[in-house]
Structure formats: C-alpha cells, structure tokens
C-alpha cells in the first residue's frame, strides 16, 4: 500500500515537472520570436513560429488558455509588424503578416478541434469500459449458463464447404458424418460463467481444454442444426437438446445464440443455455395425470349415464308392472273384463314405447346420433304426461291441475327430452307431498309465453318447499333429500334444458310449496346453428 502511494506521488511529481518544463520552453520561444520579429532586420514570416509555441503550450493549457495564447500571439505579431514597418504600404511584409496570422489562427482551430476529439474519445473509452464492466458482471453473475466461444474457425470451414459446391449441409452430413466431429474440434471456449460450470459439472481444469463434443448426447441433432444455421447465414439460433454432465447425467436444455453480421466478429459469440429438465419432467407428469384424469372422467361418465338411465327407466317400468298386475286381476275375474284388459294392455304398450324412447335417446347421446327437433304442442305434452302418471296420482291421491296459456303454444324441440324433464318434475312434486295433508296434495302446471324467444312451463307443488341448505346443492349430481333417491333427476333435467338453450329455475312459492320453471326456447338452439 505504501509503495503504491509512493509510486503515485513520484508519477505526479514527474508530470508536474514535465508541465513546468514545457511552459518555460514555450515562454522562452515566444519571447525569442517576438524579439526577432520586432527588433531585427530579418525580412521573413518569423511570427509563424508562434505555431510551435501553441503546440507546446497546448499540452498544459485548457481550451480557454489555448485560445487566449493564440490571441496574444496575434497581438504580438501585429505589434511587431507596425513597430517595424509602420503604416507604409509594403506588400511583401503584408503578405508575411497575413501568412503568420493565418497560421496562428488555423493552428489554434486545429488544436481546439483535436482537443474536442480527444475528450470525446476519452468519454467513449470510459463508456466502453463501463459497458464492458456491466457486461462482464452480468455474464459472471447470471443464473443462465453462458459461454463465450470462438466460432470463426468453424465458420471458415463451413464457408469453404459451400465454396466447394456443398449446398445442403444436412444432406452432406449423411454421407460424411465426420464433418460434425471436425466442426466440434474447431470451436474454442473463451470463457464460461459459474452457471455454465454448474450445468456441466464442476471441473478443476475448466472448460478451455475441453471439446464440447464430450458433453453432447450421441443421438442429439441439435449441434447439426446449429452448424446448419451458420452454414445458411442465419442471424439467430435456438434449439432444444440433451447434454451429458461430468457425472453422466442427461440434461435437457434450450440453447440460444445470436450471430454477428460481421464475419470477423465470430471470434466472440455468446451462447446461452437454460436447463429445462425439471420443467419437462413436470410436464410429463402433468400429461400422465391428465390421461389418468381422462380415464377417471370416462369411468365417471359411464357411471353417471348408468344412474341416469336407471332413474329415467324406473317410472315407465314401474308403470308396466302395475298395469300388468292390473291386467292379471281383470283376467282372473269371472267372466274376464276384456275391455279393462284391453285398456291395461294399451297402457303397457304406451309405457313400453316410452321406455324404448328413453333408451334410444340415451344411445343417441352416447353415439352423437342425430335427434331431429320437431314441433311440440306443450298442452298436448302436458296431457300425455298426466295420462302417463295417472296411476301415481291415484296412488298418492294427488290432484293435477293445468293452467293453460291464452293461445296454444308450440316449441321446436325433441319431444322425449321435454317429456322426461316434465315427468321428473311432476314425480318429485308427488313425492314431496307424501307427508302433506290429503286435501292439500295438489300439483299446478302453468303454461305461458315469457317473451318473443322463450315460453315458460312451471310445476308447483303444495309440499314443505325447499330448505336453504338444499337450495344451494339442488342441481348437484348425486345430491338428494330422499332416503332412496340417487340425486340425478334435477341435474339431468337442468343439463337437458341448458343443452338446448333453455333453463331450469327452482324456488319456493310465496304461498307455500316449491315451484320449478322450465324456460324453453321456441326455436331449438342447436337447430338455429
């Protein structure tokens, strides 16, 4: 530390001594030039020698000092001229005066311009040094693996191949696989940061003595793509490849670099690599989890459809059983009541056809089959539903009333879907009133136009209504308040209507009981599209 300070003091003293010496020499020369120019008979442009005074003093003077010295030199030159020649006309002397003044002025201007250029050069060098320092700091401390490599030799080699007539490097590689080994040996590593050393494994001898082929996976084509990018004159390269670390582990990396436009700048190309091994492993695990989820979803879908089918078939199959039992009773009479038998047989046929339609509808959903919408008269649909559920109404002593619309209403829809929804809602209403007094067991179905696009079909019961807790989960699959229920009916009803552009809204009527409103589009939403 002491020796360093001493050395600085010695350098400083040496600089001061040099400046004093230049100043004395310039002063002495200026005095000599003035004396010879003013007080001797020499007929020559002696004042031109002030240029030497300016050049000597420029090293120790500022811009203002140099300008003042030039002005003083001009004044001295004019004083010497008028002292020696007065105001008489002397053309040769005037020419010498003009040459001297021009030389002093031009020299001062050149000195000032050079000083400006020198200051600019110093500032540029300082900026360049700062930039280099920042670059080096970023390079060394970046968590991205960075290399500085010399690709000039490999570029020259590839350009020589192009000059020999090679137009497709990849095609050339198929018959000359050794070209990549040759290219690898021509690449020289100039520098590598800590992240690069960590990526490949910590090495005691560094990377400078290593060939990168040692770290490239044998079956990796990324390096060939890189050479092809240089061969084709591309300005940027990015590729995904595998590296083999010092301990033999495989790392998947993204390699990126930009090539300079100037071929001479290929001696310093920055190469960046990002390790994406963990990311790829996570994505692979995510894809496997998604596949597993898809399999589970398919299994759940099958279970849901099975539950849905069982729920939908329960009503017509139950009706078939009841009507068959009724038919047997009529046959066992003496004599058999054939008219009643016929009515029971007709009801069995009707319920069987409805069960068949439910199965056909479910199959169409599974196979994405074509189910063509048709014009459905809603009042007729309600009356058909009343007939289908007549046995349920009689068994539970439920009154079924319809409040028709002012004008007949028809919608374009799939009949079996609307009937399934309506039967579900009516069945739920019947079951909800089993604990209600017999004189209050009533279902009221109302029909009306909601607006120009939708009609409303509501089903109201006079049971206990829907609790707040049940309302929040009412349409959730497998949620039920019935001891033997599956919780699929309302979920299926809502999804059926929503699939066709409609809605199913549930609530409690102000005068008691629950009310479900079917919002049905007049034109089938799927048919419009």
């Amino acid at each position: 530390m002491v020796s360093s300070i001493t050395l600085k003091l010695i350098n400083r003293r040496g600089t001061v001594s040099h400046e004093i010496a230049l100043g004395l020499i310039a002063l002495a020369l200026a005095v000599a030039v003035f004396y010879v120019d003013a007080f001797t008979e020499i007929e020559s442009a002696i004042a031109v020698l002030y240029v030497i005074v300016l050049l000597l003093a420029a090293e120790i003077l500022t811009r203002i000092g140099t300008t003042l010295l030039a002005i003083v030199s001009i004044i001295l030159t004019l004083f010497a001229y008028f002292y020696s020649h007065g105001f008489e006309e002397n053309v040769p002397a005037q020419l010498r005066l003009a040459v001297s003044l021009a030389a002093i002025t031009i020299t001062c201007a050149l000195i000032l311009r050079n000083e400006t250029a020198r200051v600019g050069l110093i500032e540029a060098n300082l900026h360049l040094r700062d930039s280099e320092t920042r670059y080096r700091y970023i390079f060394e401390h970046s968590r991205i693996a960075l290399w500085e490599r010399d690709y000039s030799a490999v570029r020259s080699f590839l350009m020589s191949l192009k000059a020999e007539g090679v137009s497709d490097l990849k095609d050339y590689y198929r018959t000359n696989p050794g070209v990549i080994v040759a290219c690898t040996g021509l690449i020289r590593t100039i520098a590598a940061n800590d992240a690069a050393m960590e990526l490949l494994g910590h090495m005691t001898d560094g990377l400078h003595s290593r060939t990168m082929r040692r770290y490239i996976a044998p079956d990796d084509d990324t390096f060939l793509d890189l050479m092809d990018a240089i061969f084709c004159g591309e300005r940027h390269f990015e590729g995904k490849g595998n590296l083999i670390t010092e301990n033999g582990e495989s790392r998947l990396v993204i390699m990126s670099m930009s090539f300079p436009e100037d071929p001479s700048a290929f001696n310093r190309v920055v190469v960046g690599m990002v390790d994406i091994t963990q990311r790829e492993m996570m994505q692979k695990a995510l894809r496997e989890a998604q596949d597993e989820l898809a399999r589970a979803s398919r299994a759940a879908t099958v279970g849901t459809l099975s539950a849905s089918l069982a729920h939908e078939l329960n009503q017509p199959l139950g009706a078939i059983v009841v009507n068959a039992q009724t038919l047997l009773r009529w046959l066992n009479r003496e004599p058999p009541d054939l008219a009643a038998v016929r009515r029971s047989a007709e009801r069995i046929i009707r319920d069987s056809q409805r069960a068949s339609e439910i199965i056909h509808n479910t199959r169409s959903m599974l196979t994405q089959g074509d189910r063509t919408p048709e014009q459905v008269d809603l009042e007729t649909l309600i009356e058909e539903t009343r007939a289908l559920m007549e046995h349920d109404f009689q068994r539970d002593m439920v009154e079924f009333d319809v409040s028709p619309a002012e004008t007949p209403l028809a919608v374009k829809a799939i009949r079996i879907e609307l009937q399934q929804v309506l039967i579900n809602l009516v069945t739920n209403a019947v079951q909800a009133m089993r604990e209600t007094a017999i004189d209050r067991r009533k279902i009221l179905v109302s029909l009306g136009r909601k607006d120009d696009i939708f009609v409303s079909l509501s089903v109201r019961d006079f049971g206990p209504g829907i609790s707040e807790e049940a309302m929040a989960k009412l349409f959730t699959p497998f949620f039920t308040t019935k001891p033997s229920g599956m919780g699929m009916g309302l979920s299926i009803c809502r999804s059926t209507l929503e699939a066709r552009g409609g809605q199913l809204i549930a609530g409690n009527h102000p005068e008691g009981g629950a009310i479900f409103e079917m919002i049905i589009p007049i034109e089938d939403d799927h048919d419009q599209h």
Side-chain angles (χ1 to χ4, degrees):
M1 182 68 180
V2 175
S3 59
S4 175
I5 296 174
T6 303
L7 184 60
K8 289 181 180 179
L9 289 174
I10 292 173
N11 290 335
R12 177 61 183 163
R13 289 171 184 172
T15 302
V16 172
S17 300
H18 176 71
E19 291 176 353
I20 293 174
L22 282 178
L24 292 175
I25 293 172
L27 179 61
L29 181 59
V31 172
V33 170
F34 175 72
Y35 178 80
V36 172
D37 189 29
F39 302 110
T40 65
E41 298 295 329
I42 298 175
E43 297 292 333
S44 179
I46 299 299
V48 172
L49 296 177
Y50 283 121
V51 168
I52 300 175
V53 175
L54 285 172
L55 293 173
L56 290 173
E59 292 190 27
I60 59 176
L61 295 178
T62 63
R63 291 171 60 87
I64 297 176
T66 300
T67 303
L68 292 175
L69 179 59
I71 294 172
V72 170
S73 299
I74 290 172
I75 293 172
L76 292 176
T77 301
L78 292 173
F79 177 82
Y81 172 80
F82 288 112
Y83 181 80
S84 301
H85 302 284
F87 293 96
E88 63 182 14
E89 185 175 348
N90 188 334
V91 176
Q94 291 174 348
L95 289 175
R96 291 193 295 272
L97 174 64
V99 169
S100 299
L101 294 177
I104 294 170
T105 303
I106 292 171
T107 301
C108 179
L110 290 175
I111 290 173
L112 293 177
R113 190 184 71 175
N114 289 341
E115 177 64 18
T116 301
R118 187 180 70 86
V119 171
L121 183 61
I122 291 173
E123 290 180 353
N125 286 334
L126 288 175
H127 288 311
L128 181 61
R129 186 169 62 186
D130 291 341
S131 178
E132 178 68 20
T133 301
R134 286 194 298 270
Y135 162 75
R136 186 56 52 187
Y137 180 85
I138 294 171
F139 182 88
E140 295 293 343
H141 295 86
S142 174
R143 292 309 304 156
I144 298 175
L146 297 175
W147 284 266
E148 282 184 339
R149 289 181 183 154
D150 184 353
Y151 281 89
S152 57
V154 74
R155 183 186 181 279
S156 299
F157 174 72
L158 293 173
M159 293 304 103
S160 68
L161 290 180
K162 183 177 287 190
E164 292 172 5
V166 178
S167 58
D168 190 332
L169 183 64
K170 292 186 176 180
D171 184 62
Y172 181 78
Y173 168 75
R174 294 186 186 97
T175 55
N176 301 272
V179 67
I180 296 301
V181 178
C183 289
T184 307
L186 294 174
I187 299 174
R188 187 169 63 90
T189 299
I190 300 172
N193 66 359
D194 292 340
M197 303 291 283
E198 183 180 343
L199 177 62
L200 297 183
H202 296 283
M203 293 152 285
T204 56
D205 57 349
L207 286 171
H208 301 279
S209 61
R210 305 289 187 100
T211 170
M212 284 306 297
R213 193 63 193 173
R214 156 71 178 79
Y215 303 101
I216 300 174
D219 57 345
D220 191 83
D221 293 330
T222 307
F223 196 79
L224 175 60
D225 295 334
L226 170 59
M227 294 300 101
D228 187 61
I230 298 175
F231 183 83
C232 296
E234 296 180 8
R235 290 288 171 260
H236 181 76
F237 173 79
E238 183 173 299
K240 185 187 296 184
N242 289 292
L243 291 180
I244 306 300
T245 64
E246 281 288 301
N247 57 9
E249 292 182 3
S250 178
R251 298 279 182 89
L252 184 63
V253 299
I254 292 179
M255 181 168 62
S256 178
M257 66 185 74
S258 295
F259 301 111
E261 295 184 8
D262 184 4
S264 63
F266 268 76
N267 62 343
R268 192 175 179 182
V269 177
V270 178
V271 181
M273 289 188 188
V274 178
D275 186 357
I276 59 171
T277 307
Q278 293 297 325
R279 189 188 75 180
E280 289 295 314
M281 291 175 62
M282 290 177 62
Q283 289 180 346
K284 180 181 178 182
L286 178 60
R287 286 193 295 270
E288 291 175 352
Q290 288 173 338
D291 292 341
E292 186 66 28
L293 182 61
R295 288 192 292 271
S297 178
R298 286 194 293 271
T301 301
V302 171
T304 301
L305 287 173
S306 300
S308 170
L309 188 60
H311 183 277
E312 296 297 325
L313 288 175
N314 183 60
Q315 199 279 334
L317 291 178
I320 290 172
V321 171
V322 171
N323 286 312
Q325 291 171 345
T326 303
L327 183 148
L328 289 175
R329 284 199 301 270
W330 291 120
L331 284 176
N332 290 331
R333 284 198 172 191
E334 290 294 343
D337 189 340
L338 295 181
V341 168
R342 182 181 181 84
R343 288 195 300 272
S344 296
E346 288 174 349
R347 286 195 292 268
I348 290 173
I349 293 171
R350 181 195 63 194
D351 293 333
S352 298
Q353 288 174 341
R354 173 161 151 64
S356 177
E357 288 176 352
I358 292 172
I359 294 172
H360 175 74
N361 188 48
T362 304
R363 181 183 299 166
S364 298
M365 287 191 294
L366 288 172
T367 60
Q368 298 297 316
D370 182 27
R371 292 177 291 168
T372 306
E374 58 180 301
Q375 286 296 126
V376 180
D377 183 276
L378 293 180
E379 289 188 14
T380 303
L381 185 74
I382 293 170
E383 289 304 317
E384 289 177 356
T385 303
R386 180 206 293 268
L388 285 169
M389 300 195 66
E390 182 181 353
H391 172 74
D392 297 80
F393 298 150
Q394 292 176 355
R395 181 195 60 204
D396 289 280
M397 291 178 286
V398 174
E399 182 183 350
F400 186 88
D401 287 341
V402 179
S403 177
E406 296 179 358
T407 58
L409 291 179
V411 296
K412 195 169 185 180
I414 297 174
R415 175 182 292 273
I416 186 64
E417 288 185 351
L418 289 184
Q419 194 165 64
Q420 284 177 255
V421 174
L422 184 56
I423 288 175
N424 264 294
L425 298 180
V426 172
T427 301
N428 286 346
V430 170
Q431 294 173 353
M433 294 188 292
R434 284 178 177 168
E435 303 298 327
T436 304
I438 295 176
D439 60 343
R440 285 182 51 81
R441 294 181 187 177
K442 182 178 179 180
I443 295 175
L444 179 60
V445 177
S446 301
L447 187 62
R449 182 182 289 273
K450 198 167 186 67
D451 51 36
D452 294 337
I453 302 175
F454 297 97
V455 298
S456 171
L457 195 164
S458 62
V459 178
R460 178 195 170 191
D461 64 55
F462 288 78
I466 306 168
S467 67
E468 291 185 7
E469 180 183 358
M471 186 70 76
K473 304 177 183 178
L474 198 60
F475 297 102
T476 304
F478 303 109
F479 171 77
T480 181
T481 57
K482 305 170 190 174
S484 58
M486 291 189 295
M488 291 300 300
L490 290 178
S491 174
I492 294 169
C493 290
R494 170 178 266 188
S495 61
T496 299
L497 288 175
E498 289 180 347
R500 297 292 170 178
Q503 287 181 282
L504 179 60
I505 302 172
N508 289 313
H509 196 275
E511 297 178 6
I515 182 168
F516 287 82
E517 184 180 15
M518 297 168 58
I519 307 297
I520 309 168
I522 297 174
E523 293 291 332
D524 184 83
D525 188 59
H526 284 241
D527 188 57
Q528 290 177 4
H529 291 79

